[in-house]
Amino acid sequence: MDAAIEARGLVRHFGSVPAVDGIDLSVPVGSVYGFLGPNGSGKTTTIRLLLGLLRPDRGTVRLMGGSPRDPACLARVGALVERPALYPYLSARENLLLFATLAGMAGRDANLAIDRALGIVGLGAVARRKAGGFSTGMLQRLSIALALLRDPTLVILDEPTNGLDPAGVVDVRALIAELARNGRTVFLSTHVLTEVEQLCDRVAVLQRGRLVADGLTRELLERGQRLAIGFDTDEEAVRAVRVLEESGIATEPAGDQKTALRVSLDSLGPSAINRLLAEHDLHPAELVVRRASLESVFLDLTDGV
């Protein structure tokens, strides 16, 4: 089995509105897969379809090689979809015991599973404290512990850092990295782009229910690279624009300086562009590759939404 999640032609309408419109996904086993998109792009609807919480109008889903409606398959999957309702008057352990009981776990097996989940999320020392006294970050950790109760091999997290302060974001990010190091596949839906850039091997970008990008994170960032070119005079910059655009290379101004421009590196590399300019007796004073941030690539793909 190469794919932890496999979706083909996934479609879901609400009335006449296509919330998910023909999505294909393949999430490799053992990867951390980032799932990005603006509010209303269809991320949570897609996750609900993957987990069998919604039925697709068309399309198929396989989780860990099985159907999301097969209990044996779902036993290998842990999910945090939005934030579950935790009981504030119960301790962290009692909350987990309640959910373990609902999942059919009991006795020694349930206690071992609870201890393991609390240990993974770093709440073992406060297991007997009431959840009502927990910080937002601790509550989010407890919510993730619920997803880990059955020791899943696939973990699906929908906005796990939503509402957290910076320290809470760092804590949850470290937790996700730890899950990956332990061999779990993590499917991460998030708005925190630095999180994806630091954690995710692959990334998909959703816009209006359709995938607009899907691939290795480093390749997506490379696609957004720009070459910054600076000249000593305006006249050289004007000639350079003409030379480059006649060769099919689009240019754009770099800020307010007329002597500076940027070009995409999609068609030619920096050395090839430098040679092209030299052939026309143009010798840049500056030639620097500017690495794209995931934020800039995301805004380009989603029309700045």
Side-chain angles (χ1 to χ4, degrees):
M1 182 179 58
D2 296 323
I5 299 174
E6 193 83 39
R8 290 287 174 261
L10 213 54
V11 174
R12 173 69 191 209
H13 289 76
F14 292 113
S16 61
V17 178
V20 174
D21 193 7
I23 286 180
D24 294 329
L25 283 176
S26 184
V27 178
V29 169
S31 66
V32 182
Y33 190 96
F35 195 49
L36 302 177
N39 286 334
S41 61
K43 298 192 304 299
T44 297
T45 300
T46 301
I47 288 173
R48 290 181 178 277
L49 291 168
L50 295 178
L51 290 169
L53 300 172
L54 286 175
R55 288 186 180 274
D57 297 327
R58 292 195 304 277
T60 60
V61 175
R62 304 285 287 175
L63 296 182
M64 305 305 296
S67 166
R69 297 196 174 274
D70 179 358
C73 169
L74 285 180
R76 304 174 65 191
V77 181
L80 170 63
V81 184
E82 298 172 334
R83 186 171 293 170
L86 297 166
Y87 294 92
Y89 51 85
L90 296 181
S91 69
R93 169 172 284 281
E94 288 166 340
N95 268 285
L96 291 183
L97 180 59
L98 176 61
F99 282 90
T101 303
L102 291 173
M105 303 168 72
R108 183 171 181 271
D109 288 342
N111 286 321
L112 287 174
I114 290 168
D115 288 340
R116 183 189 62 248
L118 287 170
I120 290 171
V121 301
L123 292 179
V126 294
R128 301 195 181 279
R129 278 180 51 185
K130 286 185 168 51
F134 279 10
S135 67
T136 305
M138 293 169 71
L139 288 172
Q140 195 72 328
R141 282 176 171 269
L142 183 55
S143 299
I144 294 172
L146 292 176
L148 300 177
L149 262 178
R150 292 193 286 186
D151 197 21
T153 51
L154 168 62
V155 182
I156 297 176
L157 302 174
D158 185 17
E159 302 287 357
T161 56
N162 222 8
L164 298 186
D165 60 19
V169 170
V170 170
D171 285 347
V172 172
R173 185 186 299 156
L175 172 56
I176 292 168
E178 183 65 20
L179 294 176
R181 280 194 294 272
N182 288 334
R184 292 179 174 86
T185 304
V186 181
F187 184 89
L188 174 65
S189 167
T190 180
H191 282 104
V192 185
L193 300 180
T194 52
E195 205 166 83
V196 174
E197 198 164 348
Q198 292 179 28
L199 291 172
C200 297
D201 315 301
R202 301 182 68 90
V203 63
V205 181
L206 196 64
Q207 169 74 322
R208 300 185 184 94
R210 289 179 173 270
L211 284 185
V212 294
D214 183 11
L216 293 172
T217 307
R218 59 174 173 77
E219 290 180 355
L220 193 64
L221 291 171
E222 286 169 2
R223 279 171 47 187
Q225 285 183 340
R226 296 289 186 270
L227 183 65
I229 307 174
F231 292 93
D232 290 326
T233 66
D234 293 356
E235 184 270 335
E236 287 179 305
V238 169
R239 280 202 298 129
V241 169
R242 185 170 62 249
V243 167
L244 292 169
E245 294 194 345
E246 284 175 356
S247 300
I249 302 169
T251 68
E252 60 185 25
D256 298 330
Q257 298 179 17
K258 294 180 180 179
T259 56
L261 58 136
R262 282 192 299 264
V263 300
S264 169
L265 291 175
D266 292 341
S267 52
L268 289 178
S271 59
I273 290 174
N274 195 30
R275 283 196 302 272
L276 174 63
L277 292 171
E279 287 167 4
H280 292 80
D281 197 29
L282 288 164
H283 305 284
E286 180 184 44
L287 198 78
V288 181
V289 175
R290 304 291 188 197
R291 182 178 180 272
S293 69
L294 190 57
E295 180 179 19
S296 64
V297 174
F298 175 80
L299 291 173
D300 284 345
L301 289 169
T302 58
D303 303 321
V305 176

